[in-house]
Amino acid sequence: MEMKRTHPLIITAAVAVILAAGIAIASMTGLLPSSQANMSEQEIAQIAEEKRLEEQAKIKEEAAAKKAAAAHSHKPAYKPAPVQTAAICNNCGRVVEVRQTRIQGEGSGVGAVAGGVVGGLLGNQVGGGSGKTAMTVLGAAGGAFAGNQVEKNMKKVTVYQVRVRMNDGSVRTVEVSSSIPVGSRVIVEGNNLRMA
């Protein structure tokens, strides 16, 4: 009786798919390090505070330079313009917190179909008779699930949940696609923020 041998290319393809599935599972479970740098809330707050302090120092330097220039000139002293009260802005506030989150993408079905086909092909290589059929079905189901998860993982997006303390004292949370430094003055327009 002659034994049926599996072609080396099929074995190589099976090993490659198993390795790819292992890497995908490790990526989904968080065992692989992410290439995206995630900043903690403290780091974001520290950067915002440093930026605010730099701006204050620059304003003080400009004021000192103007004062020194005024002291050397023989012009009469500067008279400040009358103070005008600004209109109350009901949609204005200050950013008090920014949280970065990743949102799982939606699967289009392409990953599930591709994973199902590869899983079915691999399952078909195992066993014989009704066991072979069962392994083909299990391989297709497992491959479809893994392919769908990999596709969703590849379509993840980063969003920022920005908490804004409004001028009236209330707090609103708005989800935006780019980070805004803590302490920034903003205007809330529906589900969007704009710098004040």
Side-chain angles (χ1 to χ4, degrees):
M1 187 184 322
E2 188 176 318
M3 286 190 68
K4 193 174 185 182
R5 297 184 115 174
T6 304
H7 195 278
L9 287 177
I10 292 176
I11 293 172
T12 304
V15 170
V17 170
I18 290 169
L19 285 175
I23 291 171
I25 290 170
S27 175
M28 286 186 283
T29 58
L31 295 176
L32 289 179
S34 173
S35 64
Q36 304 237 346
N38 292 328
M39 296 178 69
S40 70
E41 293 176 26
Q42 288 179 334
E43 291 171 325
I44 293 172
Q46 183 180 2
I47 290 170
E49 182 64 19
E50 289 172 0
K51 201 176 216 182
R52 187 183 65 78
L53 292 174
E54 287 175 8
E55 289 175 5
Q56 284 181 344
K58 187 185 280 187
I59 291 170
K60 286 180 182 178
E61 287 175 10
E62 290 173 358
K66 285 181 182 178
K67 193 173 188 179
H72 292 305
S73 68
H74 298 290
K75 294 179 182 177
Y78 171 75
K79 292 183 181 179
V83 178
Q84 296 180 354
T85 57
I88 296 176
C89 176
N90 294 329
N91 296 333
C92 298
R94 185 173 301 275
V95 175
V96 293
E97 182 182 7
V98 178
R99 285 189 187 165
Q100 178 182 1
T101 57
R102 302 268 298 162
I103 296 178
Q104 185 88 12
E106 292 293 322
S108 64
V110 173
V113 170
V117 168
V118 172
L121 288 174
L122 290 176
N124 193 33
Q125 299 300 316
V126 180
S130 62
K132 187 173 194 169
T133 303
M135 289 307 293
T136 302
V137 171
L138 284 174
F145 176 76
N148 190 41
Q149 292 302 315
V150 168
E151 182 183 11
K152 285 181 180 180
N153 242 6
M154 292 178 73
K155 292 183 176 181
K156 278 186 178 179
V157 293
T158 302
V159 295
Y160 299 89
Q161 294 176 341
V162 180
R163 290 187 67 207
V164 179
R165 181 165 308 281
M166 305 304 289
N167 286 346
D168 64 3
S170 65
V171 176
R172 291 189 193 173
T173 302
V174 180
E175 201 169 87
V176 294
S177 60
S178 61
S179 181
I180 296 176
V182 173
S184 299
R185 299 280 305 154
V186 293
I187 299 172
V188 179
E189 295 174 334
N191 290 329
N192 293 317
L193 294 179
R194 145 173 96 83
M195 301 301 278

